[in-house]
Amino acid sequence: MEEKQLKKSIITVLGKDAVGIIAKVCTYLANNNINILDINQTITGGYLNMMMIVESEEIIKTFPDMSAELEQIGEEIGVKIQAQHEDIFEMMHRI
C-alpha cells in the first residue's frame, strides 16, 4: 500500500564539502513537495555534516522511493545521504 503522507523524517548528509551539495538536496525535496522544517549544518575540516527535518502532506513518492533516490543523489555527488522516519531515528538515538 502506498503512503499518502510523509510523516516527519530525518535526512542526514555526510561527506567532503563541495559547491552545490545543499542545492542539489534542496532541489530534490522541493521538486517532490517535501518541506524542510529545520536544517542544521556544520563544516569541520572540509567535511559537511548536515541534518534536516522534513515532512510533506502531498508526497509524490513513497518513503522507500524517496530514500533510494536521495542515496543515489549522494552517490552522484560524492556524499552519503540517509533518510529515516522520525520515530526510527528517535528510537536509535534514545539513551
Side-chain angles (χ1 to χ4, degrees):
M1 182 161 91
E2 268 194 41
E3 298 174 15
K4 298 292 182 192
Q5 180 177 11
L6 175 66
K7 295 181 181 179
K8 286 183 184 173
S9 298
I10 310 299
I11 297 172
T12 56
V13 181
L14 303 168
K16 189 163 175 53
D17 188 37
V19 173
I21 294 172
I22 296 170
K24 187 86 167 176
V25 174
C26 290
T27 298
Y28 173 85
L29 296 174
N31 289 341
N32 287 282
N33 293 329
I34 300 170
N35 188 38
I36 300 168
L37 300 175
D38 197 1
I39 184 171
N40 187 5
Q41 63 129 35
T42 57
I43 299 172
T44 304
Y47 289 91
L48 170 71
N49 180 359
M50 179 170 67
M51 185 171 96
M52 309 168 92
I53 301 172
V54 301
E55 75 175 353
S56 178
E57 293 189 14
E58 298 177 14
I59 184 75
I60 297 171
K61 298 177 181 172
T62 64
F63 181 85
D65 289 342
M66 177 198 73
S67 181
E69 289 173 359
L70 284 168
E71 284 182 32
Q72 178 62 38
I73 290 169
E75 288 176 17
E76 291 170 7
I77 60 177
V79 296
K80 171 105 172 121
I81 302 176
Q82 183 177 18
Q84 297 176 318
H85 286 291
E86 180 185 39
D87 51 352
I88 293 172
F89 183 86
E90 287 181 4
M91 293 290 273
M92 288 178 57
H93 294 90
R94 189 175 289 175
I95 296 176

